[in-house]
Amino acid sequence: MTLPGGEQLIVPFTSKFKSEPVDCSAGGSLELDTSIVVGVDDAVREFFLRDSDRVDEQGRVSVGYIYLTVRFSPAWHPNFASLQFTAATSSMSRMFVQSASVRKVFTDLTATTGGVCCLLDTETDIFDICWLNGETFSGETVPGTRFSGFQDLVAAWCEPVE
């Protein structure tokens, strides 16, 4: 992958299910496909472990395909990049909502990379806030994508910490 500024990286993703090099040096957006490894909890066990035993030695299972859309300098907050992970199926998406292990993976990813805001799409009229300006949240919500000013609202809440 060639990034804005010319830096090249090898990443564990495909793009639109192809493994050819991807040039995103002009900015804009990038579509990737991936899998993640999560700890097994009740929701993950119910979704994945019905027919086979695919748990690794650390008690984790690989979940995927997951689609990742990266938007460089999005209009609603041009000083940041937006990473949107989307489950490939509705049942996987419901598992994401129910699994504390999945929530932890995405919250930890946001925290580790210096992310400002992590929202979980509940496939309802709300998003759960998982991480906001250096704090983990539980049970806090914001209006969902059906809310006309959603992107502006999130951008206003996700101002950088000074």
Side-chain angles (χ1 to χ4, degrees), residues 4-17:
E7 182 180 1
Q8 293 186 344
L9 301 172
I10 296 176
V11 295
F13 303 104
T14 56
S15 180
K16 299 179 183 173
F17 303 104

Side-chain angles (χ1 to χ4, degrees), residues 2-142:
T2 303
L3 298 173
E7 182 180 1
Q8 293 186 344
L9 301 172
I10 296 176
V11 295
F13 303 104
T14 56
S15 180
K16 299 179 183 173
F17 303 104
K18 297 178 184 172
S19 296
E20 287 86 32
V22 176
D23 184 357
C24 54
S25 60
S29 66
L30 173 64
E31 303 291 329
L32 300 171
D33 327 296
T34 192
S35 296
I36 60 170
V37 177
V38 300
V40 175
D41 60 16
D42 288 343
V44 173
R45 187 174 293 107
E46 181 179 332
F47 182 79
F48 275 101
L49 303 179
R50 291 182 216 141
D51 301 322
S52 65
D53 183 27
R54 297 181 282 180
V55 180
D56 71 12
E57 62 280 351
Q58 296 175 352
R60 303 172 308 173
V61 65
S62 178
V63 178
Y65 270 103
I66 298 170
Y67 307 115
L68 168 58
T69 302
V70 180
R71 290 180 184 85
F72 301 100
S73 301
W76 60 86
H77 215 303
N79 295 327
F80 291 89
S82 168
L83 281 67
Q84 178 180 350
F85 293 88
T86 305
T89 66
S90 292
S91 59
M92 184 190 299
S93 184
R94 287 188 296 275
M95 186 268 296
F96 277 22
V97 171
Q98 297 169 4
S99 172
S101 181
V102 169
R103 183 181 303 258
K104 181 175 177 3
V105 166
F106 287 110
T107 301
D108 288 353
L109 176 64
T110 304
T112 301
T113 59
V116 179
C117 185
C118 177
L119 302 175
L120 177 66
D121 184 348
T122 64
E123 292 198 358
T124 66
D125 290 337
I126 61 170
F127 278 70
D128 285 346
I129 302 171
C130 301
W131 179 263
L132 183 61
N133 287 336
E135 290 186 44
T136 300
F137 279 80
S138 179
E140 298 288 328
T141 62
V142 295

